[in-house]
Amino acid sequence: MTYKGQTAWENLSPSLQQKIESTEVDIVNDFITGSSDKAASAETVKILKTSVDTHTKEVATTDKLGHFKPDGSTITVDPETGVAKANYLSAITTAVNASEQKMVAKTSIGQANGVASLGSDGKVPASQIVAPAPTNLANDAVTVYVDNVSGNDSNTGASAGTAVKTLAEAVRRIKNLGAKERKIMLVGGRTFDEELNLENIHGSNVQVNCEPYDNRASVKTVKLDGCSAQISLMNFDVEKRGTIATLPSYGVYVYNCSWVGIYSMKIVAQVNGVECNRVAYCRMNSLEINNAQRGAVNCTDSYAIVDSMKGTGNNYGFYASSSIIIGDAGTLSAATPQRKYTGGQIFF
């Protein structure tokens, strides 16, 4: 046979040269010819290795046999016929069908409340559908517009043109999105015959504002209760409509909250303009409070900073009971400018 090796023939020992010369083996280049006196060429072995490597990396499917997992997850063998059936594609089909059902539940009809189960018609039952909260992807914030004239509570609320109708619906949309900055935007010029009620709001900041801010919207009253989130109210008015017998005693009532800011608002009250009870920190700036019988600003067990205040027709201006009020009284007029009760302190 012809010697082909990396070591030169003349450098081989005479005994090795003799053995090579005496070897009678034919070199073949296929996988069919077989015999004890034949050997595969290096190129044939290379092709075989490539094929084996490719084979072992693949998983069995219905149109191609690859690597079989010993746990039976890739194939099922019929014990009577011995025919192997691939499980891989059926597993994929199951996964795809499950994904499609979830996509129908969450996107085709609307965001379902949790993972909805499909009805017999393949659709999400109407009772399980909840309108999705709109998201501003630019800053991962959520804004819900409210328009009690042209809005509809089944709208997305993502813009003034697709606003929801009621304040209650706007609050419901943002309440449990604690990881995102949240904003309720009142459509300017609207008069909401409804209380803005924010209770047990936690997580990231919440702002209630008006757009356009120079065409103020107004609400009947505002109540904040049990909120650990930072709440900011700005650029809208509070105008109590009705009689004291049928309405709460406050314009803005803040109870058991961590941080509240009230800015650039006009408040017409019947008893208390802004009433704070057990509030860790309340910031009031540029408020106009009129016709409050007891106190334009009435604080109990709270801490408040005020400045640029004004208003007329108030009985008490600033009323502090076991509280501290610090800042600038501004031109907020009242029959009794200040009243301190049970250790309350007022510093202007």
Side-chain angles (χ1 to χ4, degrees):
M1 62 170 291
T2 303
Y3 172 77
K4 292 182 180 180
Q6 294 182 351
T7 303
W9 174 263
E10 58 269 24
N11 292 332
L12 299 178
S13 64
S15 59
L16 182 57
Q17 291 179 353
Q18 182 179 3
K19 289 182 179 181
I20 293 174
E21 288 176 336
S22 63
T23 300
E24 295 182 358
V25 177
D26 293 332
I27 306 300
V28 297
N29 288 316
D30 60 65
F31 300 119
I32 300 175
T33 304
S35 177
S36 59
D37 60 350
K38 294 181 176 59
S41 66
E43 183 63 23
T44 303
V45 173
K46 178 181 177 181
I47 295 172
L48 177 62
K49 182 179 185 303
T50 300
S51 178
V52 170
D53 289 345
T54 301
H55 174 81
T56 56
K57 291 178 181 179
E58 293 178 340
V59 179
T61 67
T62 54
D63 59 354
K64 178 171 56 180
L65 291 178
H67 174 63
F68 298 116
K69 294 183 179 180
D71 59 4
S73 61
T74 55
I75 61 170
T76 300
V77 179
D78 189 311
E80 295 182 2
T81 64
V83 176
K85 178 182 178 182
N87 299 329
Y88 187 64
L89 286 184
S90 62
I92 293 177
T93 301
T94 301
V96 170
N97 289 342
S99 298
E100 288 178 348
Q101 289 180 355
K102 290 181 180 179
M103 290 296 291
V104 169
K106 291 188 176 182
T107 60
S108 299
I109 303 176
Q111 182 179 0
N113 185 7
V115 179
S117 58
L118 300 182
S120 57
D121 58 355
K123 298 182 179 180
V124 178
S127 61
Q128 298 189 37
I129 299 173
V130 177
T135 300
N136 180 346
L137 296 179
N139 56 8
D140 201 29
V142 174
T143 299
V144 180
Y145 284 79
V146 196
D147 184 342
N148 66 326
V149 175
S150 302
N152 189 307
D153 280 349
S154 64
N155 286 345
T156 64
S159 67
T162 59
V164 299
K165 186 177 183 66
T166 63
L167 298 174
E169 176 63 17
V171 172
R172 189 192 68 79
R173 298 281 185 95
I174 61 96
K175 183 171 184 178
N176 295 320
L177 301 176
K180 300 175 181 290
E181 298 290 326
R182 295 160 285 176
K183 182 183 293 185
I184 294 175
M185 191 68 71
L186 311 180
V187 172
R190 302 308 192 208
T191 300
F192 293 87
D193 193 26
E194 183 183 0
E195 178 174 75
L196 173 63
N197 191 334
L198 296 168
E199 294 190 26
N200 300 315
I201 306 295
H202 308 292
S204 297
N205 302 348
V206 174
Q207 180 188 115
V208 182
N209 207 331
C210 179
E211 185 180 286
Y213 70 89
D214 56 351
N215 184 19
R216 307 283 278 264
S218 68
V219 302
K220 183 181 288 187
T221 51
V222 177
K223 181 180 180 181
L224 310 181
D225 186 354
C227 300
S228 63
Q230 178 174 316
I231 310 292
S232 298
L233 312 174
M234 59 185 67
N235 301 318
F236 65 94
D237 297 334
V238 177
E239 298 179 3
K240 297 185 68 170
R241 292 170 290 278
T243 65
I244 193 169
T246 59
L247 292 173
S249 62
Y250 51 80
V252 177
Y253 178 64
V254 186
Y255 176 74
N256 196 28
C257 292
S258 299
W259 196 107
V260 176
I262 308 172
Y263 311 101
S264 186
M265 294 174 60
K266 179 180 179 181
I267 301 171
V268 178
Q270 291 176 322
V271 177
N272 295 318
V274 177
E275 182 177 351
C276 296
N277 191 343
R278 298 179 63 188
V279 179
Y281 179 88
C282 185
R283 182 80 166 88
M284 304 178 213
N285 180 271
S286 301
L287 302 186
E288 179 181 345
I289 305 176
N290 300 319
N291 304 325
Q293 293 182 13
R294 185 176 181 185
V297 176
N298 187 336
C299 293
T300 302
D301 298 323
S302 301
Y303 178 82
I305 296 180
V306 301
D307 62 81
S308 302
M309 309 288 283
K310 66 179 181 179
T312 60
N314 300 296
N315 186 16
Y316 289 103
F318 298 89
Y319 189 101
S321 175
S322 303
S323 299
I324 298 176
I325 300 175
I326 301 175
D328 171 21
T331 58
L332 181 63
S333 64
T336 302
Q338 298 181 18
R339 173 70 188 275
K340 304 172 186 178
Y341 185 72
T342 60
Q345 299 294 319
I346 299 174
F347 302 98
F348 291 139

